[in-house]
Structure formats: C-alpha cells, structure tokens
C-alpha cells in the first residue's frame, strides 16, 4: 500500500481537500479523504503541500505515430494513398520508445488518445492509452475508442494534389456517406443472415469498424475547424444516427448554441500557435469558455506533435484567462477528457476504484513556476523530479 | 508643442538593473525623457500604473512576422524562394504585410520589436529587417533595414534542393555554395576598390554580390540558421575564413560546443525551445542550452521563430527557462530585452528603459512570465498601441 499525504487534493469529482490523503492499493485508488488513517507499513509519498490532481489526459494526440526528432522515418500518422481507410489502427504505429512519452510523464500526462492524422476523410481507429510501458498492447485503456474522420482543408488539399477525389468539401461529405451506407448494407446483410453462414457477407475489415460506429459502440471523431465543416459533420452523424465528437472545433464559438442543442462534445485545440491556414483564421482562446457557457462539454488538446503535450496545463491556464472558469479548465484536461473518450470508469478523477494515475505539482498547475514533482501511473511512480 | 505622456505610480523594471525603480516615467516626443522621482509637466497625458509594473517592450530577434501571413495558406506564405539556393539580394521587407494578425498578437503580448527574416530553405536567403510591431506605417516602423543576411546550414537547404535534384544535396555542398558566394562578392569588392574613381574599371552593378559586400565589410552579420553542433562549427569555420561577423540562429546544440561559440565571440538566438523536436537536427534541443551558453559568456537571446511558435510564446519560453534551468528571472528578462536588442544592433534605440531611448513600454498587472498576467498597455514610440482606441 502507498499513501500520498500532505497535498491539496483536487479530485475533479467535486471535492477540493485543502490537506488530504490518498490511499493506493494494487494500482487502484482505495480511498481519498481529509482525515484518513494511513495503515502501518504503507509507503508514504509526501506531497509537501503541493497540488495533487488526477493524471492529465490529452484527448487528441499523435504521440508515438509521429515520433520526435525524426523525419520521414518516424512519420506514420497519415496514410495518404486512399481517402477512406477505416481499417487502419493508430495502435499499429505507436512506438512506445517515442521520446514524447517521457516528456508526457514529466509533464504529469498519464493518459492519451492517439489518432491517425487528418489527411483522409476516414483516417482510421483511435485508441486511449497510458503514457508508461514498453509494449503498446499493455498500455491500452480502450481500443478502438472511435473512428477518426476529417472535414475541411486537409483531405481536399492532400487528394486534390494527387488529382484524386476529394478535391472539394462536397466530395469529402460524399465519401463519408458512401462508406457509412456500405457499412449499413453490410450490417443489414449480417442481421438478415442471422445464424446462416451461407447468407452472411464475407468479412470486411473496413465495413466491420464502420458497423461499430453505426451500432453506436464508438463515435465518429471528426476533425473539423470551420463552423460549416462542424455543421456538415453533425448533419451526417444525424443522417446515420451515429455518435460524434468534434476535434479542434476552432470556430465552435460561432455556433455554440448549435453544438449545445445537438449535445455534441468538443475537443478544442491546439489553441496555442499561429493560423497557418484559412480554416484557422478565427482561432481564439475564448472558444472553450464560450462553448462551456452554452452548455457544451469541452476538453483540450495539444494535438502533439503540433504542440508538446506537457504544455497542456499552459493551454488550460490561457483558456481560463480568456473566460473558462478555473475548475472547468482543469476538468478539460482530466475528467471531461476521460468522459469524452469513454474511459472515465478508469481515469480522470481521484475516486476510489479508479486507476491510481496521479500527478503531484509543486504549486497550482496554472502557475508559471509550478513543476511536476511526481507522476504515478497505476500506483507506480513513473516520473520523479 | 511636444507630445508628453506620463506613467505615474509605476514600478519600473529597466532591464539595466535588477531592482525596480519606483516613481513616474515621462515620455516626450516618443522618447523616454526621464523616470524615477520626477516632476510631471502639467500638459502631459497621464496613465496611472498603480499596482502594475512597467517593462521595456519585449524583443523577439528571429521571426518571420509579416513575411508569412496568418489565416492564409499559399497566398500568405512568402518565406522561402525555393528556386535558387543563393538569393542574397532578396529582402524580407519587400514581403512584409504590416497589418497581418501576428503583429497584433505581438503588440497584445507586449512584444514591440522583432527581426523578420526570410526562411531557411536557401544557403543565402536574403536580408533581414528589424521593425516595431505597431505604431505606424511600415516605413515608420522600420528600426534597421538590412540588419544582416540570412544564411542557413543543415537539413533545410539540402532537403529542399535534393528534392529538386539540385545542389546542395549534402552539407558539403551547402558550405561550398556559401564560400563561392562570399568569394564572388570579395572579387566584386576588390574590383570596385581597385577601380577607385575610374568608372570604366568598375564592374557592372550586381545586386546579389552587392548584398554581401556589407557582410565582408563587417557592417552587418551573417545570421546563420544552424541547429546541430557540426553545422555551428561549419558556420564558425567559414566566418573565420572570411573574417566576417556571425550570429547563430536556433543554435539547438550550441551547448555541446559552448566554449567554441564563446571563444568566437558569436552571439546566439536560441529557440524555439518549447516546440516538439520535429526533425533529426533538433532532437537534442533543451532549455539548458540557454543557461549553458550564458554561463560560458555567450550573448544569448530567445526566439519563437514565429510562426513556428506564436510570438506571444516568447514569454512562455522565458518562463520555462526560469522554471527548468533555475536561471535568475532578471537574467532571463535581459535575454528578451537588452540582449536581443544588442544582437540586432539596435541597442542604442530599444531593449531597456533609459533616458533617450525609444518609449517602447509594456504596462502589465503581474509578472510578465506569468501566463495569467494581463498586459494593460503596450506603448510604441510613445503612443499607446494596445488597447486600441476607438478612433483607431
């Protein structure tokens, strides 16, 4: 057993304990409280008055699939040979030796979503994983947790350069509809065939994963910056009655009421940075605050390697400065991210029964001098200053 | 009548001394007239800075602001003329859109002076310009045109031109092209000097060669993009061979040969240190470079390389250097003020709060490195440029 004592504990489940204790057993949180007795023999981790939070979660990265400090050899994020590749899996390209994982742990980041890039209309399967481990399969929290799709400039730029479809936003939407329709047909055949193998269609890996989307087992994870692209994504999701999460959501603040009415969550970012393309022209730190106020559930993303994942708390600080309440800004990099990823049963808050993924900060996570003192994953110290 | 603006009740961080000066600061005709315990003229406009701090405007000495425009794709990208690896005659000034969004964000963050440069695709990219981020029309904002010739070694030129099946496709050829260009310019200069007053002996005017003459005369430096230690060593070698001045831009591995850089008396503009190392030549980048070079006696500044990082992250980079390396806050403040101005050759005009210097100031409600601090006013040449008044 381990006990973290003498920390200001932000559970992200409602409670802030000015001076609390967390008991950890077998990699899980056993208890969180202000007046917990530490059992004899427990290993004590002294937080020394620092802030204790659940491990930070980035809901949208490309860590491990775009490796740091390498060029072409380490770039495995975009299979730019076919605009519809639902069968490919980020899981198969994640290199746990990517230096980014060590950087993530040093920044208190314990869980990530890792996705294929946005070159393809249908990019492939997204997973959620821990940032500590040698073999990716042992690091997985949930795979697949969604199917990456992309709207706007990226797919049309990539394929118009190859003189292929899509070269317009119309074709982007058409390709997604075609694929979802094919999957609908596949699923109908499977259901009509019931137990008769003679009538069942041949197994098709592409259609199989799209069928999971149609059965609402996983959502579409839709890369969309511009308001019109976000609306197109939601339109198609409604047509096929599938779940959807908007990724980046750069112009979300222009249609906050629309997103709130549709109940669509948003993973916003990277808000740091410049606007190197037209679809980013309206990027602002105010987007998360405006969406939250309208009633949209928001998480933040570094889009690593676009920005280093360990800077996610800086991004949270800056969106807080521009209108997102402090508590909500912390939720956007912990529990909200976990809920949107469908992994909140395991991570995202400090509650009994959850994985002991915990970060101890020297001070408030938004203060510029604050450093990560210790990071724990599954109860083990995976980073220590 | 002269224009006077007084900032009163101020805690003035001059960047020339560690302890702040308390009192007022008087601006007359765009220059810092005086500060401290001074009398305020009756006819001065007044800003009350009670509870706030005043700093010299911050400086990013290596950006591509204006040369690349935000919110645009191809249409706004004018960094790199990737059709010829030697284009010393190009001028960043000719591509700057003074109204693009990046300048607005610089002003909002209290960054008042930047160097804007061509990119690093070419061995010789063209001339750089030092300018204010706001406060007037482009020509009024220029502090120093032709503040150095941008040059580049390492991966970028060889990637761009090997992709076109042209020279350089190796580091050897990159160095060779640089030497050839400098020799051609030296021959040109020799002919001009031999010709004296005889126009018949003068070589025909050549803009490419002419651009390198001030480098050979040590009027301006080569501003050398170099990440890896071996590329930095090549830059130092060629600078020695031609007896020219050099600045190191990026300098990602300069900490590995800090003694050599210090011995050469070459300053280093380090960064962007906060981004993800996206290529092999940046894989060893670390915030420690700044501390190690400073301790070795090198004049160091920080850069965001905007748009690689947004220019406002200059302050985040400074925060990270303090936090991660333990460098003193005042010393880090000097990296983004005094040192940056000195490396750009504009230290007589900007970079600190001193009598007679340009009134480029930031009034801020907290520590400038604190993410949550709010800039209350940015002042350039004595004019409030942020927040903008309705009239503007």
């Amino acid at each position: 057993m381990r006990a973290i004592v003498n920390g200001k504990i932000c559970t992200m489940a409602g409670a802030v304990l000015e001076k609390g204790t967390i008991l950890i057993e077998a990699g899980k949180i056993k208890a969180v409280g202000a007046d917990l007795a530490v059992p004899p023999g427990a290993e004590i981790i002294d937080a020394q008055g620092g802030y204790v939070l659940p491990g930070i979660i980035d809901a949208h990265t490309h860590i491990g699939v775009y490796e740091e400090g390498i060029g072409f050899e380490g770039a495995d994020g975009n299979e730019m040979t076919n605009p519809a590749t639902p069968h490919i899996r980020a899981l198969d390209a994640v290199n746990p030796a990517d230096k980014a994982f060590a950087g993530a742990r040093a920044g208190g980041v314990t869980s990530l979503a890792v996705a294929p890039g946005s070159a393809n209309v249908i990019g492939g399967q997204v997973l959620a994983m821990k940032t500590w481990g040698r073999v990716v399969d042992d690091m997985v929290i949930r795979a697949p947790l969604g199917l990456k799709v992309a709207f706007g400039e990226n797919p049309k730029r990539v394929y118009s350069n190859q003189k292929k479809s899509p070269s317009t936003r119309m074709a982007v939407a058409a390709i997604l509809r075609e694929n979802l329709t094919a999957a609908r047909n596949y699923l109908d055949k499977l259901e009509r065939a019931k137990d008769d193998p003679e009538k069942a269609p041949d197994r098709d890996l592409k259609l199989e994963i799209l069928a999971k989307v149609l059965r609402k087992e996983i959502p579409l994870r839709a890369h969309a910056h511009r308001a019109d692209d976000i609306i197109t994504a939601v339109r198609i999701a409604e047509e096929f009655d599938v779940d959807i999460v908007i990724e980046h959501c750069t112009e979300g603040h222009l249609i906050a009421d629309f997103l709130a009415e549709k109940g669509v969550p948003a993973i916003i970012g990277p808000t740091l940075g410049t606007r190197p393309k037209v679809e980013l022209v309206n990027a602002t730190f105010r987007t998360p605050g405006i969406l939250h106020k309208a009633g949209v559930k928001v998480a933040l993303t570094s889009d690593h390697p676009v920005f280093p994942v360990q800077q996610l708390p800086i991004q949270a600080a800056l969106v807080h400065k521009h209108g997102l309440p402090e508590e909500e800004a912390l939720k956007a990099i912990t529990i909200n991210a976990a809920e949107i990823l469908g992994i909140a049963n395991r991570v995202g808050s400090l509650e009994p029964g959850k994985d002991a993924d915990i970060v101890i900060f020297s001070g408030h996570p938004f203060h510029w001098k604050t450093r990560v003192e210790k990071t724990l994953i599954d109860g083990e110290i995976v980073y220590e200053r | 009548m002269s224009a006077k603006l007084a900032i009163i009740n101020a805690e003035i961080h001059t960047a020339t001394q560690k302890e702040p000066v308390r009192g007022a600061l008087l601006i007359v005709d765009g220059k810092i007239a005086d500060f401290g315990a001074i009398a305020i003229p009756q006819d001065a406009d007044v800003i009350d800075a009670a509870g706030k701090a005043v700093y010299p405007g911050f400086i990013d000495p290596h950006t591509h602001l204006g040369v690349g425009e935000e919110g645009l794709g191809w249409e706004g990208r004018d960094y790199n003329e990737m059709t010829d690896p030697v284009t010393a005659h190009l001028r960043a000034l000719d591509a700057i859109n003074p109204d693009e969004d990046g300048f607005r964000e610089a002003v909002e963050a209290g960054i008042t002076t930047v160097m804007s440069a061509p990119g690093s695709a070419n061995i010789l990219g063209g001339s750089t310009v030092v300018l204010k981020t706001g406060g007037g029309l482009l020509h009024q904002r220029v502090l120093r045109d032709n503040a150095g010739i941008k040059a580049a070694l390492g991966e970028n030129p060889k990637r761009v031109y090997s992709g076109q099946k042209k020279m350089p496709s190796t580091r050897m050829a990159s160095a060779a092209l640089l030497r050839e260009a400098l020799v051609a310019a030296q021959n040109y200069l020799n002919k001009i000097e031999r010709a004296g007053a005889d126009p018949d002996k003068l070589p025909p005017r050549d803009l490419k060669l002419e651009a390198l003459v001030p480098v050979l005369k040590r009027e301006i430096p080569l501003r050398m993009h170099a990440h890896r230690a071996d590329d930095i060593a090549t830059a130092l070698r060629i600078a020695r061979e031609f007896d020219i001045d050099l600045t190191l831009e990026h300098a990602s591995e300069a900490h590995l040969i800090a003694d050599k850089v210090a011995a050469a008396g070459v300053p280093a503009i380090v960064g962007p240190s906060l981004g993800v190392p996206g290529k092999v030549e940046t894989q060893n980048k670390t915030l420690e470079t700044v501390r190690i070079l400073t301790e070795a006696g090198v004049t160091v500044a920080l850069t965001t390389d905007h748009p690689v990082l947004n220019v406002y992250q200059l302050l985040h980079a400074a925060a990270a250097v303090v936090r991660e390396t333990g460098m003193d806050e005042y010393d880090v403040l000097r990296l983004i003020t005094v040192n940056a101005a000195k490396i750009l050759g504009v230290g007589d005009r900007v970079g600190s709060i001193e009598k007679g210097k340009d009134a480029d100031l930031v009034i801020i409600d907290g520590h400038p490195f604190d993410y949550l601090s709010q800039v209350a006013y940015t002042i350039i040449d004595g004019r409030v440029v942020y927040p903008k008044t309705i009239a503007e």
Side-chain angles (χ1 to χ4, degrees), chain B residues 136-148:
Chain B
L137 300 173
L138 180 58
H139 69 278
Q140 296 166 320
R141 282 164 48 181
V142 171
L143 251 173
R144 186 182 181 204
D145 191 16
N146 198 9

Side-chain angles (χ1 to χ4, degrees), chain B residues 6 22 28 41 82 85 87 103 125 130 182 210 214 221 251 268 277 302 304 334 353:
Chain B
R22 285 171 200 285
V28 178
M82 294 185 280
T87 57
F103 286 117
V130 180
L182 288 168
E210 187 175 276
L302 303 181
T304 60
R334 285 177 62 88
I353 295 179

Side-chain angles (χ1 to χ4, degrees), chain B residues 5-12 21-27 34-36 38-41 44-54 361 363 377 379:
Chain B
L5 175 65
I7 301 164
I8 61 168
N9 299 319
E11 178 188 291
I12 302 164
V21 176
R22 285 171 200 285
L25 187 153
L26 179 65
I27 300 165
D34 205 355
F35 62 95
I38 57 169
I40 302 301
D45 291 329
V46 171
I47 290 175
D48 187 346
K52 298 187 177 70
V54 181
L361 304 165
I363 305 176
Y377 297 93
I379 295 168

